[in-house]
């Protein structure tokens, strides 16, 4: 792989704009190369040109180089290299006090003076060095800003650890306190630990291994002070229903109760904060290394193209800059790892490193194999179903209507799930291809996120189970030996539902347990809204449920069909003639939208974001539309039809506008891309226009089902409803990609690459300055 592609693949996606623009500098070098090639092809140069040396001479030269004296793995012979004359100098690099924001170390910007600008083609090289300086100053300024940021975060984590250690001592009340003599001996061995942490690097409050060894030799240690507990409070926890209720009724006591639950909760929060902080430090370390390598590569390319020797002078400046000389990040990484292993892993370094540095996810070829097998099985089963229906002319049989009213809704549930999985697999594929950091956005644990092949594996596996059940059902219906409408035949869909449910809640480490647990947690947060703090995965899942209304209604039909015994005679009269069923039919459709209303209200209260009030109003308008349309489908009447059409039209316009403008960030008037946004991930702008048009069309298709425009002479009513519900799932799949693209670009704009974790303690104002 070429360095340019490798460089792009190793970037932190949210920091892409802060990296050296390697592609742009390569374009400038290409212009210089084209100019030099034009010079060499001119008639004058062709006369004076010499033929290239034969390949044998080059091979001999390479062989002779094997007999030269070894220069060593260090630079011991570097000082003996001949010095260049001033006449051979190409560039001069100097640090200047800038007038703009491109600042390097200590407020300096680096400027390169090109000494050969008077030569032919020198203006192109001058442009190259100006671009190079711009990129280098940008990189140094960003790196220095981020280092200052992590140093402040490290100081804050140190203060949090002071409070945690003091709380541990207060709660556990250790009896092995060192006697005064032992403490004095410890102070004599290492007196600096009794002083306040005033070093240049934070986290020194946590004793390092060498210090601990000295203290152990002295048979004593320094107990942390409990004074800090008089100046800190526990931050309110509103991430749980109980914490939310307490906060609402103003009964939450923020003072310490000095119990083990507080220690456990604080330790868990700080553990997560250390993990995220370590990840940010690793990103910074990798950022510095990649950019240093990129500047080295681009200068070597320049030397090769121009036959000059300017890389030594420029790379010397790079080596002496803050980007290379700064060691704050390396020291912080070491200190964070020591502290994490000691305080959160009971000294087990192997376990701590597994948590802080998770291994890269490896692609398994057997997944690809099974995906291909399952898709092949699915196609074969579909062919078998079509052939069976056609050969026995089942579409014109007397039981067709009865089958479509009972069995078809039972199996269509799985069809909706499989289609949603296929759309999500497509989303994951394109998110990965266009470097949308969906794993970070959703908050998956590193290494547990599902790739598109894993999602396809689950979808195709469920497809095989469903189609096999359908084939078995048909065969059992038509076989005289099994008798028509036998109870065992009707129980196949229920067995399939139970199997899928048991796999979903299975506690064993099979079938992607981490992802199943993540899904169940988000689902529970949706059910308990607004008692939980709303995160992106929570409202993203709730949005998916709004597109699965028909699946929820099919689940309701399962309960009615099997609970009231209609499956014994394959007749849904009890469900169809029940007023309770009709009421629940409306409630089921309203629940996903009501969940989103409650989530928007919670986000409005937590974030004071006025746009969430409008978002809640949008979902409430959809609820009104759904209720009126359901009432019209049950009672009919011209008045209800007008009300249903009006509310549906308003809700559709409102939702479409919100999809395109708020969720996708499109339709910007003053954008560089007409009516889109300034930054786009997809290479073609036409895709965005097509997506907007499709979103409108598919929303209208979904609306027509409840306006009673679903009668077709060649299709059964349930079949047409299933088709339109499938169109809504496809629309949601399109929405998913652009929604996460917009979220990713917002993170890029803010250079937000790690999660912000709430800390457990807060200090009194002014205490830190004492």
């Amino acid at each position: 792989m070429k360095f340019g592609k490798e460089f792009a693949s190793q970037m932190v996606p949210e920091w892409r704009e802060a990296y050296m623009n390697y592609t742009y500098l390569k374009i400038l070098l290409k212009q210089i190369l084209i100019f030099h090639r034009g010079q060499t092809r001119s008639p004058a140069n062709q006369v004076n040109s010499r033929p290239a040396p034969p390949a044998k001479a080059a091979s001999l030269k390479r062989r002779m180089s094997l007999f030269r004296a070894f220069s060593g793995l260090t630079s011991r012979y570097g000082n003996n290299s001949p010095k260049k004359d001033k006449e051979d100098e190409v560039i001069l690099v100097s640090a200047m006090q800038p007038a703009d924001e491109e600042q390097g170390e200590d407020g300096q910007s680096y400027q390169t003076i090109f000494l050969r600008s008077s030569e032919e083609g020198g203006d192109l090289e001058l442009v190259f060095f100006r671009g190079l300086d711009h990129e280098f100053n940008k990189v140094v300024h960003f790196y220095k800003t981020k280092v200052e940021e992590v140093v402040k975060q490290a100081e804050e984590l140190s203060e949090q650890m002071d409070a945690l250690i003091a709380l541990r001592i207060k709660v556990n009340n250790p009896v092995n306190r060192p006697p005064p003599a032992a403490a004095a001996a410890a102070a004599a061995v290492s007196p600096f630990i009794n002083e306040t942490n005033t070093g240049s690097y934070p986290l020194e409050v946590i004793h390092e291994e060498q210090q601990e060894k000295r203290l152990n030799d002295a048979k004593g240690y320094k107990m942390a002070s409990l004074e800090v507990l008089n100046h800190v409070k526990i931050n309110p926890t509103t991430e749980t229903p109980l914490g939310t209720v307490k906060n609402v009724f103003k009964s939450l006591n923020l003072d310490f109760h000095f119990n083990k639950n507080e220690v456990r909760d604080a330790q868990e929060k700080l553990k997560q904060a250390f993990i995220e902080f370590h990840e940010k430090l690793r990103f910074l370390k990798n950022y510095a290394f990649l950019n240093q390598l990129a500047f080295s590569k681009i200068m070597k390319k320049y030397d090769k193209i121009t036959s000059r020797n300017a890389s030594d002078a420029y790379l010397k400046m790079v080596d002496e800059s803050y980007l290379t000389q700064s060691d704050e990040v390396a020291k912080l990484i070491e200190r964070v790892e020591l502290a994490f292993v000691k305080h959160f892993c009971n000294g087990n370094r192997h376990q701590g490193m597994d948590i802080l540095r998770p291994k890269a996810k490896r692609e398994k070829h057997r997944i690809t194999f099974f995906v291909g097998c399952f898709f092949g099985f699915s196609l074969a089963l579909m062919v078998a179903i079509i052939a069976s229906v056609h050969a026995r002319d089942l579409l014109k049989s007397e039981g067709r209507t009865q089958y479509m009213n009972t069995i078809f809704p039972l199996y269509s549930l799985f069809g909706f799930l499989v289609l949603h999985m296929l759309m999500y697999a497509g989303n994951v594929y394109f998110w990965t291809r266009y470097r949308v950091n969906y794993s970070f956005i959703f908050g998956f644990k590193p290494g547990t996120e599902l790739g598109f092949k894993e999602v396809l594996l689950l979808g195709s596996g469920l497809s095989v189970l469903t189609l096999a059940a359908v084939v078995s059902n048909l065969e059992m219906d038509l076989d005289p030996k099994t008798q028509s409408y036998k109870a065992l035949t009707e129980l196949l869909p229920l067995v399939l539902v139970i199997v899928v449910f048991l796999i979903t809640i299975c506690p064993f480490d099979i079938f992607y347990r981490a992802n199943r647990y993540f899904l169940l947690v988000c689902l529970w947060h949706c059910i308990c809204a607004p008692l939980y703090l709303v995160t992106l995965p929570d409202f993203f899942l709730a949005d998916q449920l709004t597109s699965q209304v028909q699946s929820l209604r099919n689940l309701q039909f399962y309960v009615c069909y099997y609970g009231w015994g209609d499956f014994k005679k394959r007749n849904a009269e009890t469900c169809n003639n029940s007023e309770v069923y009709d009421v629940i039919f409306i409630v089921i459709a309203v629940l996903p939208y009501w969940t989103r209303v409650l989530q928007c209200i919670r986000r409005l209260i937590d974030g004071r974001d006025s746009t969430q009030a409008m978002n809640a109003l949008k979902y409430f308008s959809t609820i009104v539309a759904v209720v009126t349309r359901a009432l019209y489908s049950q009672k009919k009447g011209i008045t209800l039809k007008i009300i249903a059409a009006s509310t549906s039209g308003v809700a559709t316009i409102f939702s479409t506008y919100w999809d395109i403008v708020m969720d996708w960030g499109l339709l910007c008037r003053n954008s560089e891309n007409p009516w889109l946004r300034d930054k786009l991930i997809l290479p073609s702008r036409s895709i965005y226009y097509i997506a907007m048009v499709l979103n409108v069309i598919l929303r209208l298709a979904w609306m027509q089902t409840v306006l009673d425009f679903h009668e077709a002479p060649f299709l059964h009513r349930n079949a047409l409803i299933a088709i339109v519900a499938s169109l809504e799932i496809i629309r949601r799949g399109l929405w998913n990609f652009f929604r996460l693209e917009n979220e990713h670009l917002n993170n890029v704009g803010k250079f937000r690459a790690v999660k912000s974790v709430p800390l457990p303690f807060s200090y009194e104002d002014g205490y830190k300055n004492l």
Side-chain angles (χ1 to χ4, degrees), residues 512-526:
Y512 307 110
R513 181 180 62 179
N515 299 92
R516 289 188 286 107
Y517 178 78
F518 185 86
L519 175 64
L520 291 175
V521 169
C522 293
L523 183 60
W524 178 248
H525 289 179
C526 293

Side-chain angles (χ1 to χ4, degrees), residues 109-313:
S109 68
Y110 296 92
Q111 183 177 359
T112 302
I113 301 175
F114 181 55
L115 303 178
R116 305 294 179 88
S117 58
S118 59
E119 297 181 2
E120 191 172 4
D123 54 339
L124 295 176
E125 298 181 51
L126 184 62
V127 171
F128 168 76
F129 280 108
R130 286 178 180 174
L132 190 67
D133 288 342
H134 171 78
E135 295 299 321
F136 184 73
N137 289 322
K138 177 186 72 174
V139 167
V140 173
H141 175 64
F142 178 82
Y143 183 71
K144 189 172 188 294
T145 302
K146 285 297 178 182
V147 169
E148 293 172 353
E149 184 179 312
V150 296
V151 167
K152 292 180 181 179
Q153 291 178 2
E155 293 172 351
E156 189 173 9
L157 284 178
S158 296
E159 294 164 353
Q160 294 287 317
M161 287 302 302
D162 284 340
L164 176 64
I165 294 173
L167 183 59
R168 283 175 176 171
I169 297 174
K170 184 70 176 180
V171 172
N172 296 324
N173 192 22
V175 296
N176 56 342
R177 295 173 182 256
V189 174
S190 182
F192 59 88
I193 66 172
N194 291 324
E195 300 176 357
T196 304
N197 176 25
T198 58
S200 58
Y201 300 106
L203 295 175
E204 290 180 355
V205 67
I206 303 166
H207 305 320
E208 298 182 12
E209 293 178 352
Q210 294 180 354
Q211 297 174 3
E212 290 178 351
K213 184 177 180 181
R214 293 176 182 176
L215 293 178
N216 291 333
D217 293 340
K219 305 298 182 181
Y221 60 91
K222 176 178 178 289
M223 185 75 71
S225 173
L226 301 182
E227 176 67 19
V228 66
L229 295 180
N230 299 326
H231 303 281
V232 298
K233 292 183 178 181
I234 294 182
N235 293 325
T237 301
T238 58
E239 296 180 359
T240 61
L242 182 60
T244 302
V245 172
K246 287 183 177 180
N247 195 31
V248 169
F249 290 100
K250 306 296 183 181
S251 61
L252 180 63
N253 186 8
L254 300 182
D255 295 330
F256 283 120
H257 300 292
F258 304 118
N259 55 54
K260 293 184 178 181
N261 290 333
E262 289 178 341
V263 175
R264 185 182 64 252
D265 294 341
Q267 181 167 312
E268 189 61 32
K269 285 186 177 181
L270 269 179
K271 179 180 179 181
Q272 191 60 37
F274 266 77
I275 293 173
E276 297 298 330
F277 183 62
H278 186 268
E279 183 178 18
K280 188 173 185 178
L281 292 174
R282 288 192 292 111
F283 284 164
L284 268 178
K285 183 178 180 181
N286 185 62
Y287 174 85
F289 171 76
L290 282 179
N291 281 287
Q292 293 172 36
L293 186 59
F295 283 108
S296 175
K297 291 285 186 180
I298 204 69
M299 286 306 301
K300 296 296 177 60
K301 283 183 177 291
Y302 170 81
D303 285 355
K304 182 178 179 181
I305 291 173
T306 61
S307 299
R308 302 186 190 278
N309 189 17
S311 60
D312 292 343

Side-chain angles (χ1 to χ4, degrees), residues 517-740:
Y517 178 78
F518 185 86
L519 175 64
L520 291 175
V521 169
C522 293
L523 183 60
W524 178 248
H525 289 179
C526 293
I527 294 174
C528 296
L531 298 180
Y532 282 97
L533 185 69
V534 181
T535 59
L536 187 142
D538 298 336
F539 69 75
F540 189 87
L541 177 61
D543 279 324
Q544 308 307 305
L545 294 177
T546 60
S547 296
Q548 286 283 2
V549 169
Q550 193 57 42
S551 297
L552 298 177
R553 284 173 168 169
N554 287 353
L555 281 176
Q556 176 195 357
F557 184 74
Y558 265 93
V559 176
C560 174
Y561 190 67
Y562 291 102
W564 289 350
D566 286 352
F567 72 97
K568 296 178 181 179
K569 51 185 178 179
R570 188 177 285 183
N571 195 326
E573 290 183 0
T574 307
C575 301
N576 296 333
N577 299 328
S578 172
E579 294 183 358
V580 176
Y581 183 86
D582 292 339
V583 173
I584 298 177
F585 188 81
I586 299 175
V587 173
I588 286 293
V590 167
L591 279 178
Y593 299 103
W594 182 244
T595 298
R596 287 296 290 120
V597 171
L598 296 178
Q599 288 179 340
C600 291
I601 294 174
R602 176 61 188 264
R603 294 181 69 192
L604 175 65
I605 296 173
D606 291 340
R608 308 298 180 184
D609 186 2
S610 60
T611 59
Q612 292 304 318
M614 296 298 296
N615 201 14
L617 182 61
K618 178 197 74 173
Y619 286 106
F620 186 78
S621 68
T622 306
I623 291 176
V624 174
V626 169
V627 172
T628 55
R629 292 182 308 214
L631 292 175
Y632 168 69
S633 65
Q634 295 174 4
K635 299 181 179 181
K636 305 298 180 180
I638 187 64
T639 303
L640 281 176
K641 185 173 185 177
I642 294 174
I643 295 175
S646 302
T647 55
S648 299
V650 171
T652 300
I653 294 173
F654 200 170
S655 299
T656 302
Y657 171 81
W658 197 274
D659 285 347
I660 297 174
V661 177
M662 304 301 295
D663 291 337
W664 293 0
L666 303 177
L667 292 183
C668 300
R669 290 185 178 181
N670 301 322
S671 172
E672 298 177 359
N673 304 292
W675 295 104
L676 300 178
R677 60 172 107 86
D678 291 336
K679 294 183 179 180
L680 303 174
I681 290 181
L682 298 179
S684 176
R685 291 183 298 184
S686 61
I687 298 177
Y688 294 89
Y689 297 118
I690 295 173
M692 288 190 286
V693 174
L694 284 177
N695 185 75
V696 175
I697 295 175
L698 293 175
R699 272 201 176 276
L700 293 174
W702 177 244
M703 185 181 69
Q704 74 174 351
T705 59
V706 283
L707 289 180
D708 209 22
F709 300 147
H710 43 257
E711 299 296 339
F714 55 90
L715 279 178
H716 190 273
R717 179 178 182 272
N718 287 337
L720 188 57
I721 290 177
I723 292 174
V724 178
S726 299
L727 293 178
E728 167 62 13
I729 294 174
I730 294 173
R731 187 199 68 82
R732 180 60 62 182
L734 296 175
W735 179 89
N736 289 344
F737 176 82
F738 295 102
R739 176 65 182 86
L740 245 67

